[in-house]
Structures are given as structure tokens and as C-alpha cells.
């Protein structure tokens, strides 16, 4: 007999949500055959069986979220008798705590987690090392989200009101499981001063999902625009807690419209970006870079480099190397905002956005980029991008970033204003490089016009962390490195 437990799918991952079981009780399963699919706050993964035999018990329903190490199923050598241990019906909450779990965690696993209709909330990128950010440093996150993102159990300041650093289970409400709200749903309801009982639930058993709350908020906002404003002299009454938002009929598509449901990655990206805009004081500063010095070397070694390394040498590794060196002089750019503090990271873990065939973005991380030269950075960028597009990244590959670069330049963009990847304080966009006429100074001091490759670097930064002068000086240093360094020494 072998116990199947929730695996550790990354050093900062502390729990996972069972998306689906590939086997049912009584089915045979081979060792290393996919047994179930699990979703964490990093990635979704198929998990193979660690033993060969027959599935004798399934202890955790699809849609339940449990801690790493929780007993999920039992595999035996002998086929179980028919009907001896049926698979639990959805919502029965049969997850069993491990020996290390306490009663609070068991109650949390069975009463406050998402169902299959509401996947566990996750962000695309864990942007800072888990050990470096206090619980207060992730804005708009409740203690459950902070504990998930940092890989801890949330114990610490203020933990007395929570079970293991996560909110206690909500009070019982209407039937059908609607009172079992995920952390993100509870947060949205609290932020908008709503009552869960007023929101129609479309999830399993009438459960209120995140989409239900957002739809309810949108309906109320639209109705509010139609209501007449109160007179200037009249006091504006504050909406009492629990008051319901006005509702309107949902938008119905036309006969020739195509309805495309949002994918999980689209929903996660949307919430992460909206939260970032609401968290940081976004400011954009841009500089123009002459890439002539880069191109002299890049084009000269292009064929040999590709033959040796197996991939093309693009502008991105040069920009990444310049950014890493500039951060050494402007360390506040490589930081996160804490509780009325700026947490400056001593190591540069460089994230870069990878497009997944226009279905979404993911941000793998080049670890310790500050200790790598151009060729090493180029290899890491190429390898991680290839693994991202083949869906072969692990949770650790996309966690811990401290500064992010997004690279729409290959599409020929002129200027991009990226959204900061929370809880980082800055993100750099590398836009398209085109040949343009530029004024240059000749050795004799006279001026001339030449055709050089030119492109923009755009930095979105959090004005809470530093001011425009600091951001501009950092960008200026990046430009100076790109334009004046002898890049042949790097290769």
C-alpha cells in the first residue's frame, strides 16, 4: 500500500488545488503514470503516481486546496472490492491533515478553499525572495495570500486572529456551499463593502466565484452612472455595510459575435495588472538608445554564435547586461515596497516576459544575473524562453524575480508603458530597434549625419520608491553602457 500526498512543486509553494483526477477508485495505475492535475499559485502540473497498483481511495475532491504533504489517495497492490471506498462526492471535504498539520489547518482545508469552478487564486510571478518581504509588504493581499506567496504559514505579527496565518472559515451562510469563499473572493467582497448573500453564485452548489463578484461590481458601477448626482448642498450618505449594488441585465452577445471565455492565465494576468495599477504610483520615463556599438559586435559574430550556441544573438541579452550593471550603481531600482519601507535586494534575479503564442505571458527568472556575463545571460534567456513555450517551467523558474524586462521590440513597437510586476518597483520595456538618421560627432569635432540602429527603453517605476531624477539617471546609465561599452570583450 502506498500513500499519495500533495507534492512540493517549488520551494515557495505551500499548498495546491486538485484540478482533476485522471483515475477513479478501482482503476489500475502504473508507476509514473499521470494520476492527478494540481494547480498552485505558480503553475498547473500533472502529477505522476509514485507507486504501481490500483487506486483504493481518493481522499481529496477535485477543487479542494490542501497543504503540501496532505494525504490525497491510497494505491494498493490488490484491486479493491467494488464499492468499498468510493470516490468522495464533490464538496464533501474529506481531506485529511498530515501529522504535521493542526486542527485549524484541517478545518481550513475543508471549509475555505475554492471548488473546481473557482481555481485557487495565483499570480503569474512571485517577484521577491520569500525570506525578504514581510507580510505587510504585499498590498491588497490578505494574510492567506501573503502566506501563499512567501512560502510560509503566515505565523507572526497579528496571527492571533487567524488559523495558521490565514483567515478563519466564514460563518455558515445560505445553502449550496455559497458561504465557502476563496481568499480572493472574500477580499473583493470586503474591499467593495458587499454582502456575499446578495451575490448570485454560479459556482458548484451555488458557490460565489470571483467572476460573480466582478460581474456584480460592474453591474453596480453601471447603474451608479445612470443615477442622478445629489445636490451640492446635500450631504452624500455613506452606503451602509452590506448594502447591495444595483443590478442590470448582463451584456448579451449578438448573433454574429463569438464568445471566447477567459482562460485561467488571462484571468490571473488581468487581476495582477489591475491590482498593480491600484497599488503603485506608476510613472513612465523613456530614453532613446543608439545601438550602433551593440550592432557592430552582434552582426560580426551572429553566424558563429548561432552555430555554436544554437540560437540567435538578439538585443535582449545586451540590454539585460546593461541593466544588471546599472543596478549596481542604482540599487533602489532592484527593490520592493514593504510596510512603509523600501526593501532593497542585494541579488539581481532578472525576470523577463515570454509570450505564449498570444495566449498569455509568463515571466521566468534568470537567477543571480548580477554575476553573469553576456554569453551566460543569453544562454539562460534562450533556455528559459524555450521551456516556457513548451510548458516545461517549474514553480521555482518563475518565482523570486526582483526586476523585470518586457521585450515587445521584435514586433516593431515604438513605445510601451508596461505595468509593474508587483511587488517590484520597476519594469523596463525594450521596444523596436530601427535604422534612423542620427547626428554624430566626427574625430575632428565636426558633425555629420549617419544611419544607426536606434530604439527606446521605457521604464515604468513606482514613485513611492524613488523620484524621476533617480529613474532617469538609471536609464541614462543603461544607455551609456549600451552605447559605449566594447561588447567584443563580453563574447
Amino acid at each position: 500500500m502506498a500513500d499519495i500526498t500533495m507534492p512540493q512543486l517549488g520551494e515557495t509553494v505551500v499548498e495546491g488545488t486538485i484540478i482533476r483526477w485522471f483515475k477513479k477508485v478501482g482503476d489500475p495505475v502504473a508507476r509514473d503514470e499521470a494520476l492527478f492535475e494540481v494547480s498552485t499559485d505558480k503553475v498547473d502540473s500533472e502529477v505522476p503516481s509514485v507507486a504501481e497498483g490500483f487506486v483504493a481511495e481518493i481522499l481529496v475532491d477535485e477543487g479542494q486546496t490542501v497543504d503540501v504533504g496532505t494525504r490525497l489517495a491510497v494505491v494498493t497492490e490488490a484491486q479493491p472490492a467494488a464499492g468499498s471506498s468510493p470516490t468522495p462526492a464533490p464538496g464533501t471535504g474529506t481531506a485529511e491533515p498530515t501529522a504535521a498539520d493542526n486542527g485549524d489547518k484541517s478545518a481550513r482545508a475543508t471549509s475555505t478553499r475554492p471548488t473546481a469552478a473557482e481555481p485557487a487564486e495565483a499570480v503569474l510571478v512571485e517577484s521577491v525572495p520569500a525570506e525578504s518581504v514581510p507580510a505587510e509588504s504585499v498590498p491588497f493581499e490578505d494574510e492567506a495570500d501573503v502566506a501563499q506567496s512567501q512560502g510560509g504559514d503566515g505565523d507572526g505579527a497579528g496571527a492571533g486572529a487567524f488559523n495558521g496565518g490565514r483567515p478563519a472559515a466564514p460563518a455558515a451562510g445560505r445553502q449550496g456551499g455559497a458561504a465557502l469563499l476563496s481568499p480572493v473572493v472574500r477580499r473583493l467582497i470586503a474591499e467593495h463593502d458587499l454582502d456575499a448573500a446578495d451575490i448570485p453564485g454560479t459556482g458548484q452548489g451555488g458557490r460565489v466565484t470571483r467572476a460573480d463578484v466582478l460581474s456584480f461590481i460592474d453591474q453596480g458601477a453601471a447603474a451608479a452612472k445612470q443615477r442622478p448626482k445629489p445636490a451640492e448642498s446635500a450631504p452624500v450618505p455613506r452606503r451602509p455595510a452590506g448594502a447591495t449594488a444595483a443590478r442590470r441585465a448582463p451584456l448579451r452577445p449578438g448573433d454574429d459575435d463569438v464568445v471566447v471565455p477567459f482562460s485561467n492565465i488571462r484571468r490571473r494576468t488581468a487581476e495582477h495588472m489591475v491590482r498593480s495599477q491600484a497599488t503603485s504610483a506608476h510613472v513612465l520615463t523613456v530614453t532613446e538608445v543608439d545601438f550602433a556599438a551593440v550592432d557592430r559586435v552582434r552582426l560580426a559574430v551572429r553566424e558563429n554564435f548561432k552555430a555554436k550556441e544554437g540560437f540567435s544573438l538578439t538585443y535582449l541579452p545586451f540590454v539585460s547586461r546593461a541593466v544588471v550593471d546599472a543596478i549596481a550603481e542604482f540599487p533602489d531600482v532592484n527593490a520592493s515596497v514593504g510596510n512603509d519601507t523600501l526593501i532593497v535586494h542585494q541579488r539581481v534575479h532578472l525576470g523577463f516576459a515570454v509570450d505564449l503564442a498570444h495566449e498569455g505571458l509568463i515571466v521566468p527568472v534568470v537567477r543571480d544575473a548580477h554575476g553573469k556575463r553576456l554569453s551566460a545571460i543569453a544562454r539562460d534567456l534562450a533556455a528559459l524562453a524555450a521551456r516556457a513555450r513548451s510548458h516545461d517551467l517549474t514553480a521555482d523558474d518563475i518565482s523570486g524575480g526582483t526586476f523585470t524586462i518586457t521585450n515587445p521590440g521584435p514586433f516593431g513597437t515604438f513605445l510601451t508603458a508596461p505595468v509593474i510586476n508587483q511587488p517590484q518597483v520597476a519594469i523596463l520595456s525594450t521596444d523596436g530597434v530601427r535604422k534612423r538618421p542620427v547626428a554624430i560627432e566626427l574625430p575632428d569635432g565636426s558633425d555629420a549625419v549617419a544611419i544607426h540602429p536606434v530604439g527606446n527603453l521605457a521604464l515604468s517605476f513606482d514613485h513611492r520608491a524613488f523620484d524621476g531624477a533617480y529613474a532617469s539617471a538609471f536609464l541614462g546609465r543603461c544607455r551609456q553602457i549600451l552605447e559605449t561599452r566594447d561588447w567584443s570583450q563580453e563574447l
Side-chain angles (χ1 to χ4, degrees):
M1 184 179 73
D3 287 341
I4 307 299
T5 61
M6 178 64 73
Q8 179 88 41
L9 296 174
E11 64 181 45
T12 62
V13 175
V14 296
E15 61 188 8
T17 300
I18 301 297
I19 298 178
R20 57 174 170 160
W21 288 96
F22 298 114
K23 303 288 184 178
K24 61 181 182 297
V25 171
D27 285 352
V29 61
R31 186 180 183 87
D32 295 329
E33 182 182 3
L35 181 58
F36 61 93
E37 185 176 6
V38 62
S39 176
T40 70
D41 61 349
K42 307 297 182 189
V43 291
D44 296 345
S45 305
E46 293 183 0
V47 179
S49 175
V50 297
E52 181 177 357
F54 296 88
V55 179
E57 294 181 83
I58 293 180
L59 305 171
V60 175
D61 308 342
E62 293 180 351
Q64 277 194 272
T65 300
V66 293
D67 292 332
V68 167
T70 298
R71 193 163 169 252
L72 304 178
V74 177
V75 173
T76 58
E77 294 182 1
Q79 185 172 13
S84 59
S85 296
T87 302
T92 55
T94 57
E96 297 181 14
T98 61
D101 290 332
N102 58 30
D104 289 337
K105 287 188 177 181
S106 177
R108 168 168 52 81
T110 60
S111 62
T112 65
R113 291 304 180 193
T115 65
E118 170 74 5
E121 170 58 11
V123 296
L124 287 180
V125 186
E126 178 66 32
S127 301
V128 288
E131 66 274 10
S132 64
V133 184
E136 297 87 346
S137 68
V138 186
F140 293 88
E141 301 271 358
D142 61 14
E143 281 77 356
D145 293 325
V146 172
Q148 291 178 15
S149 66
Q150 296 181 356
D153 59 7
D155 293 334
F162 295 86
N163 294 331
R166 295 178 173 85
R174 64 180 186 273
Q175 299 299 316
L180 305 183
L181 307 178
S182 69
V184 67
V185 170
R186 289 198 301 273
R187 183 174 66 248
L188 284 171
I189 288 174
E191 287 176 357
H192 293 273
D193 196 18
L194 303 176
D195 187 340
D198 298 325
I199 304 174
T202 62
Q204 185 177 12
R207 192 167 177 274
V208 176
T209 69
R210 176 177 55 192
D212 296 332
V213 179
L214 295 176
S215 176
F216 192 72
I217 293 169
D218 290 342
Q219 293 165 7
K225 291 181 179 179
Q226 299 174 2
R227 291 196 296 269
K229 294 183 179 179
E232 290 286 339
S233 58
V236 180
R238 184 180 184 275
R239 181 165 59 88
T244 62
R247 301 182 59 194
R248 63 173 176 81
L251 177 66
R252 295 184 180 278
D255 294 338
D256 57 348
D257 292 334
V258 177
V259 178
V260 181
F262 282 130
S263 65
N264 194 35
I265 194 171
R266 285 259 59 83
R267 291 193 300 269
R268 293 179 179 184
T269 300
E271 178 163 326
H272 190 52
M273 295 298 96
V274 170
R275 184 180 302 162
S276 180
Q277 291 279 18
T279 301
S280 295
H282 276 70
V283 182
L284 178 70
T285 185
V286 184
T287 191
E288 187 178 74
V289 177
D290 186 337
F291 283 90
V294 171
D295 252 11
R296 277 194 294 272
V297 174
R298 191 180 71 89
L299 297 179
V301 304
R302 179 169 54 184
E303 299 301 328
N304 289 338
F305 185 91
K306 187 171 184 179
K308 176 184 176 183
E309 301 289 350
F311 59 89
S312 298
L313 183 60
T314 66
Y315 293 106
L316 182 58
F318 293 89
V319 174
S320 301
R321 182 75 166 96
V323 164
V324 168
D325 285 357
I327 284 175
E329 300 178 41
F330 298 90
D332 289 0
V333 174
N334 189 54
S336 303
V337 172
N339 183 26
D340 200 28
T341 60
L342 186 67
I343 303 168
V344 181
H345 308 298
Q346 300 303 299
R347 299 162 67 184
V348 181
H349 300 313
L350 188 65
F352 64 104
V354 176
D355 173 62
L356 302 178
H358 305 309
E359 294 181 358
L361 295 174
I362 196 166
V363 184
V365 177
V366 176
R367 304 285 176 187
D368 294 314
H370 56 283
K372 298 178 179 179
R373 294 173 66 85
L374 177 65
S375 296
I377 291 176
R379 292 187 196 102
D380 285 352
L381 292 173
L384 287 168
R387 290 172 55 196
R389 295 185 178 110
S390 63
H391 303 282
D392 196 31
L393 292 174
T394 68
D396 291 336
D397 289 329
I398 57 175
S399 64
T402 58
F403 184 92
T404 298
I405 296 177
T406 182
N407 182 36
F411 300 105
T413 55
F414 174 72
L415 181 62
T416 303
V419 178
I420 296 170
N421 187 12
Q422 295 297 323
Q424 299 169 21
V425 298
I427 180 172
L428 183 77
S429 172
T430 62
D431 287 288
V433 177
R434 297 184 181 89
K435 289 185 177 181
R436 302 176 193 168
V438 297
I440 61 172
E441 184 176 338
L442 299 176
D444 61 2
S446 62
D447 294 329
V449 174
I451 305 299
H452 284 186
V454 177
N456 290 324
L457 297 182
L459 182 76
S460 289
F461 67 94
D462 190 338
H463 215 314
R464 299 175 302 169
F466 44 80
D467 295 325
Y470 192 90
S472 300
F474 166 75
L475 266 190
R477 181 59 179 141
C478 291
R479 180 186 66 244
Q480 183 183 39
I481 293 171
L482 287 166
E483 292 181 346
T484 63
R485 175 167 292 176
D486 181 1
W487 291 103
S488 63
Q489 299 300 314
E490 291 276 337
L491 296 169

